[in-house]
Amino acid sequence: SLCKLWLVVDYLLCTSSVFNIVLISYDRFLSVTRALYLNANSAFVKCLNQLVCVAVLTERFPRC
């Protein structure tokens, strides 16, 4: 029913939001601790990897 679909979408979006916050925090940590080693040219690839990671984690570990 529509209610179950709403709950599934709600859980999915909340879980992906939590994983996004974790990855942003980890990215900030790496930016501070390894500032000289990080390459600005790899930012696009890193962003793409993080988006895929969030999608996979959201599918693997739903909140319900």
Side-chain angles (χ1 to χ4, degrees), residues 8 16-17 22 24 30-32 44 51 54-55 57 60:
V8 168
S16 65
S17 176
V22 169
I24 289 171
L30 288 180
S31 297
V32 170
F44 177 74
L51 286 174
V54 165
L57 287 174
R60 294 285 248 168

Side-chain angles (χ1 to χ4, degrees), residues 11-63:
Y11 287 139
L12 183 70
L13 293 177
C14 289
T15 305
S16 65
S17 176
V18 169
F19 283 130
N20 277 325
I21 291 171
V22 169
L23 284 176
I24 289 171
S25 300
Y26 181 67
D27 182 53
R28 298 289 185 242
F29 171 75
L30 288 180
S31 297
V32 170
T33 58
R34 298 183 180 185
L36 296 177
Y37 298 110
L38 293 179
N39 187 1
N41 293 333
S42 68
F44 177 74
V45 174
K46 184 171 61 171
C47 180
L48 201 59
N49 286 337
Q50 288 177 352
L51 286 174
V52 169
C53 185
V54 165
V56 168
L57 287 174
T58 301
E59 288 293 322
R60 294 285 248 168
F61 303 109
R63 284 180 33 167

